[in-house]
Amino acid sequence: MKSDSVKVGMQQAPHRSLFNALGMTKEELSKPLVGIVSSYNEIVPGHMNLDKIVEAVKLGVAMAGGTPVVFPAIAVCDGIAMGHIGMKYSLVTRDLIADSTEAMAIAHAFDALVMVPNCDKNVPGLLMAAARVNVPTVFVSGGPMLAGHVKGRKRSLSSMFEAVGSYSAGTMTAEDVEEFEEKVCPTCGSCSGMYTANSMNCLTEVLGMGLQGNGTIPAVYSERIKLAKHAGMKVMELLEKNIRPRDIMTEKAFLNALTVDMALGCSTNSMLHLPAIAREAGVDLNMDLVNEMSAKTPNLCHLAPAGPTYMEDLNEAGGVYAVMNELDKKGLIYKDLITATGKTVGENIAGVRNKDPEVIRPIDNPYSETGGIAILKGNLAPDTGVVKRSAVAPEMLTHEGPARVFDCEEDAIEAIKGGKIVPGDVVVIRYEGPKGGPGMREMLNPTSAIVGMGLGSTVALITDGRFSGASRGAAIGHVSPEAAVGGPIALVEEGDIIRIDIPNNALDVLVSDEVLAQRRAKWQPREPKVKTGYLARYAAMVTSGNRGAVLEIPKNN
């Protein structure tokens, strides 16, 4: 066992004395040490129930003959961090989580791991760590929140942000906003639509690192506690069979993830996280694959914010496995891959049926024949721009309009709420990328303000930052290269006409190459917004959005 290096032999007598200080018995030390990575905290609604999940995992590990040992991982609530400097600290935690978990797992020689995440950066951060450490590992998340109910309709966090925009437009009263405030987030759990947390928890199932229901069983269901016990038991089986994360997270597993991403209509943030996880697993996930996968993958789900259904509905309809089974009818799923269940993908999804064709469209009656995410390229985005196509109003799939240019999110929000943005405009928010932000803030506030002001079907937003999974509309993010490194988005001027052509995967500013070259010759890099602390180190090391905003040591160091 890996843990023998800290338990067995005369040289390990000092180590055993420290285990003795922990109150561990010889019987416990004779068993495999299983690290349980607990993301529990009291500030993130998706994490406040993780103490219950962790206790259930511990019981499962112990029942199956292991010794469970808990250690922590951090997590930021994107909703609470939204719209202020705190959002600069969201994406950057992904690497802190991966690094600290790697350090704890290797320093203490754990034989296996159970990851207990739930929210946006926490899930991919732990998947990255799992690939690095590469000991048998199972994931069990905290589960999604139940949808709220306001005025007879199901609602979620995106409805709350849009309500603020509606109040600014004068179409909703303060009393209405307060009712939303009290009712849209009724339970613990990750927010109830197909936002980033739920996208990544569903894709964890698809990758093969989580058990059935990991992405969809609501946080408040007792079934989630049972799932956690089974995860604890299952990791011992994986240890016995020596099935490791890199055996599971293969190139074909990531192709499955991209396929299901398209069918579910996942958050655009998955286009940052999947490449970053793949890189740790030794897989080169080229983003040029995305449109290729999208072209042959039908979009089967319109979960909030794209439509009126929620994670609880997807769960009742058969969950992620039911979606995979529908896709398999067109031969779109690789089935011969081993998973954390100890079985293959094909064995996992066999016989799982679609129980609600209104929630999961049958393969022969999709919302669209193409997937939920598109990668755009053009002279405004030579590398990439990313859009959640399934959440774009049909009339905005192609659009031309004048650029309204802002060098930070705050200025854009002020203009939107001040009535300075009019139908037809293309709002450009730049210097918010991985380096320029730094931290690549989510733009949920401006997109929600646009929708709330009644402009969702007439105004587009383009940024080198990113979007919350709760954003909807013609919201194009991850524009690369970003403004901070002199990407073309830095050269756009007020009034330039921008052409968006999502069906043809194109994003261009209608300015000649000669004019762009003249502007580039005059462009000067901006002073860094942050010069000290973790954000400064992050900005110095982070790559562009099209590469997953991963960290690399600068070549001149």
Side-chain angles (χ1 to χ4, degrees), residues 5 42 49 62 83 91 99 135 224 233 245 287 316 334 357 364 451 490 512:
S5 62
E42 295 183 340
N49 64 320
L91 178 61
D99 293 349
V135 297
R224 176 128 325 243
M233 290 185 272
M287 284 295 94
E316 294 303 316
Y334 292 102
D364 55 1
V451 172
S512 70

Side-chain angles (χ1 to χ4, degrees), residues 43-68:
I43 190 62
V44 183
H47 290 230
M48 63 179 284
N49 64 320
L50 295 189
D51 54 341
K52 308 294 189 298
I53 303 294
V54 166
E55 288 303 314
V57 171
K58 288 175 66 176
L59 185 57
V61 168
M63 286 192 295
T67 297

